[in-house]
Amino acid sequence: MIQFKDDIRIRQRHRLRQRHRQARIHWAHFWFIVIGILIILAAFILGYFYVSLAPMRQAENRVEKLVREKTSIATVTQVSVNYRKTTTYAVLGQTTTGTQKVAIVRNNKIKTYNRSSGMTDSQLKKLITNKYKPKKLYSANISEYQGVLVWEISYKGQDNKLNYLTLDFKSGKTYRAISGM
């Protein structure tokens, strides 16, 4: 009879251990499912952004091809877009000889400018830092404003508000300044 009671105790301990192990496996399954759902959700979100930005990528590729075909720019380094009255693309690139150029594309019409005729990036940054004292500089893109090549700058001012500048490409003269947006 003693042997029988010992067997029962051993079986009970064994069942308790199995239940404890099952509880651990249960939590592992729970986290596996949660992580799986998060991965699937992230894939859907990334897919949505990829599909929604496809027209923009196609337009930029079309503009790059147009610029390479109709100008001396062989290598495109940057494309920026401005949606003021019409869509205007600014394409920065180099010719085969290494000269840096800027091409402004509006309604499939292209104007090219020498990049060296304007302010350098460091000159522009120094001008903005000294004159406007931004907390953070968000962007500085080349565009065209009223038929003139300009820099369009957005930055966070000392008052933590968004500010926008339109500066002459060559001299840095201010055409427009919008503060506190």
Side-chain angles (χ1 to χ4, degrees), residues 15-30:
R15 286 182 190 151
L16 287 173
R17 286 182 190 152
Q18 283 182 337
R19 286 183 192 158
H20 185 66
R21 284 184 191 151
Q22 287 175 352
R24 277 193 233 150
I25 293 171
H26 175 71
W27 280 106
H29 283 285
F30 172 77

Side-chain angles (χ1 to χ4, degrees), residues 151-164:
W151 286 101
E152 294 190 339
I153 294 112
S154 60
Y155 67 94
K156 181 195 277 188
Q158 294 297 322
D159 56 357
N160 289 327
K161 293 185 179 177
L162 180 64
N163 298 292
Y164 183 80

Side-chain angles (χ1 to χ4, degrees), residues 95-133:
T95 63
T96 54
T97 60
T99 306
Q100 291 195 351
K101 296 261 188 181
V102 176
I104 302 295
V105 181
R106 181 182 294 139
N107 299 327
N108 292 328
K109 295 177 185 170
I110 303 172
K111 294 181 190 175
T112 57
Y113 303 90
N114 283 331
R115 175 66 177 88
S116 61
S117 66
M119 296 173 65
T120 65
D121 293 343
S122 60
Q123 289 172 330
L124 179 67
K125 189 173 182 177
K126 185 178 178 181
L127 172 75
I128 294 168
T129 303
N130 292 340
K131 191 171 181 180
Y132 299 99
K133 298 174 182 30

Side-chain angles (χ1 to χ4, degrees), residues 59-60 62-63 79-82 87-91 103-106:
E60 286 181 4
R62 181 187 59 80
V63 167
V79 177
S80 60
V81 64
N82 183 321
T87 304
T88 303
Y89 294 92
V91 180
I104 302 295
V105 181
R106 181 182 294 139

Side-chain angles (χ1 to χ4, degrees), residues 38-95:
L38 290 176
I39 289 171
I40 291 170
L41 186 63
F44 278 120
I45 291 170
L46 291 174
Y48 172 78
F49 282 117
Y50 182 79
V51 169
S52 64
L53 293 175
M56 190 179 210
R57 280 191 309 276
Q58 290 171 351
E60 286 181 4
N61 289 336
R62 181 187 59 80
V63 167
E64 282 183 37
K65 184 179 176 186
L66 183 69
V67 166
R68 279 196 220 105
E69 289 174 356
K70 296 194 175 187
T71 67
S72 60
I73 295 175
T75 306
V76 174
T77 55
Q78 181 183 352
V79 177
S80 60
V81 64
N82 183 321
Y83 301 103
R84 197 172 290 117
K85 289 182 182 176
T86 61
T87 304
T88 303
Y89 294 92
V91 180
L92 280 71
Q94 289 184 343
T95 63

